[in-house]
Amino acid sequence: MVKIVIQKRIKDFNKVINVDGDKSLSIRSLLIGSQAYGISKIKNLPKSEDILSTINGLRKLGINIFFKKKICYLNGNGLNGFNYKKNIVIDAGNSGTFARLLLGLLVKSPYTVKIIGDKSLSRRDFQRIVDPLEKFGAKFVSKSKKNLPLKIIGSEYLSPINYFEKKGSAQCKSSVILAALNTPGKTIVTAKKSRNHTELFLKNLNFPLKVISKKKYDKIEVVGENQFKSFDYTIPGDMSSSAFFIALTLLSKNSKLKIKNVNVNASRTGFINIINKMGAKVKFINKRNICGEPVADICVKSQKNLKSINCPIKYNSNAIDEFLIIFLLASKAYGVSNFKKLEELNKKESPRLKLASLMLRKIGVTVKSNEDSIKIYGNPRLNINKKILINRYYKDHRVFMTSVIAALTLGGNWTIHDMESHMSSFPSFLSILRKIGYRFI
Ligand code: S3P
């Protein structure tokens, strides 16, 4: 367990940075590449732990993956083209996205595959994936089907399903879409709006996937057993990682930041919508399309006068990974902010809604919360001048990074544990802080 000590605020800065490649797109490019026919080429793949778990897992399933001059090459054997021994064990580490999406690809697996994960992933709900995958015809042979470890054995006789995804979970939606790739006939997914990377990825490969967009739901039709070819893909920067540096800039005094080449897919920019409503004035410039996804450079300046928000629930799914940092911004805003219907937040790498209340109270913010909502009494003069210890927060990478941003902007004498946790999603986090000018003790 490694800790970091922060006793000084960050000095004013004016910089241009790049953040690591997007986690959701990286995992999808590897998993979809494993089903393509031929060698795919993936640029800007981050070396984060979740991505390494994905690479190691796919290698165990017989996919040849190698790197040349920082570019990832992946040799897909086509649909259901995994080639592996009986009774293999795949360790998904901390990655819910990898574990849940991979299970979708294993619905036709001829042998049992056991999926395990770290302590945090082993606590998370897998029933949400088991239920639809069983309907396709896959079988799960484990004591509990709710949590990892899970053993899956596929079926040769899969049938397409009609699936209603009501939580706004892109992992559930994507797992079913990937299962449908290996299933004959038409699978229909009616899904509450959530990040749509899997759909855009397959469409960009000319895969026959149809999306009918309604106000709150998308109807997605997938005709299975359609082989697609290998591809070249460039991973853009991660909006969820950018969020920490956007918040750092907003909360610092006379500072300015440009973050280059970030994925600005509307299903990921709930964070920007929310903070702009709070008075942030974040801008996207140089907007373009790369491999079917919108990409832009993000410009942000310090903002002394953030105001509170009554957060519209339509943004919840599109900002789901950014709420800890949004709550921090609300703590420094003028007025009382309200966030509702956030029960999914307690089902992440840690129970984030519960932990947010604990963390904010610790730094002197008044908070009222229950199991799905939080009210934050913002204080623009919030200024910490005591010792703050952050430990026992489930080694959640986003708790660690949010705490560092709080320490660098609010003052106080902080000791933050579980520094290694940021490696799961954003390995360059601390080196970018150094580039911006912070000198760690
Ligand atoms: C993800 C979906 C979200 C998000 C996670 C990545 C994805 O999870 O929290 O970090 O890549 O599909 P849910 O689908 O559980 O909401």
Side-chain angles (χ1 to χ4, degrees), residues 23-25 27-28 97 100-101 124 128 167-174 194-195 197-198 240 268 317 320-321 344 347-349 352 397-398:
K23 177 160 75 95
S24 294
L25 283 169
I27 295 174
R28 282 161 176 79
T97 307
R100 291 178 175 142
L101 270 57
R124 295 177 69 185
R128 57 177 65 195
K167 297 180 197 297
S169 162
Q171 292 179 356
C172 293
K173 170 176 75 175
S174 301
S194 62
R195 62 188 74 185
H197 300 309
T198 310
S240 303
R268 292 291 296 282
S317 172
I320 194 67
D321 290 340
E344 276 294 300
K347 303 200 172 130
K348 297 291 168 195
E349 288 84 328
R352 287 189 184 146
H397 53 134
R398 299 199 204 281

Side-chain angles (χ1 to χ4, degrees), residues 202-254:
L202 288 167
K203 275 190 170 179
N204 192 48
L205 299 181
N206 290 322
F207 184 88
L209 173 135
K210 200 166 142 194
V211 180
I212 303 157
S213 209
K214 299 271 161 64
K215 204 168 168 215
K216 289 191 176 159
Y217 285 84
D218 283 334
K219 190 173 167 202
I220 304 151
E221 298 181 356
V222 190
V223 180
E225 297 194 324
N226 266 298
Q227 185 58 61
F228 48 92
K229 281 197 263 165
S230 54
F231 49 81
D232 283 9
Y233 200 85
T234 302
I235 311 283
D238 197 320
M239 174 57 78
S240 303
S241 301
S242 305
F244 295 105
F245 285 93
I246 294 172
L248 177 74
T249 313
L250 289 171
L251 294 176
S252 297
K253 281 182 192 146
N254 306 304

Side-chain angles (χ1 to χ4, degrees), residues 383-436:
N383 183 21
I384 304 171
N385 41 32
K386 58 177 183 178
K387 281 189 181 171
I388 304 283
L389 173 66
I390 302 290
N391 63 354
R392 300 205 190 97
Y393 281 75
Y394 298 77
K395 301 186 190 295
D396 182 337
H397 53 134
R398 299 199 204 281
V399 169
F400 171 77
M401 291 187 279
T402 303
S403 305
V404 170
I405 301 304
L408 291 174
T409 53
L410 301 179
N413 183 342
W414 292 64
T415 304
I416 309 167
H417 285 245
D418 303 323
M419 180 169 121
E420 64 283 9
S421 62
H422 75 280
M423 298 304 286
S424 76
S425 66
F426 192 4
S428 309
F429 177 68
L430 295 175
S431 60
I432 297 174
L433 282 174
R434 277 185 209 105
K435 183 178 170 190
I436 288 180

Side-chain angles (χ1 to χ4, degrees), residues 347-364:
K347 303 200 172 130
K348 297 291 168 195
E349 288 84 328
S350 71
R352 287 189 184 146
L353 191 59
K354 281 190 201 148
L355 295 189
S357 308
L358 290 177
M359 285 171 73
L360 294 183
R361 287 194 183 112
K362 207 174 236 205
I363 62 173

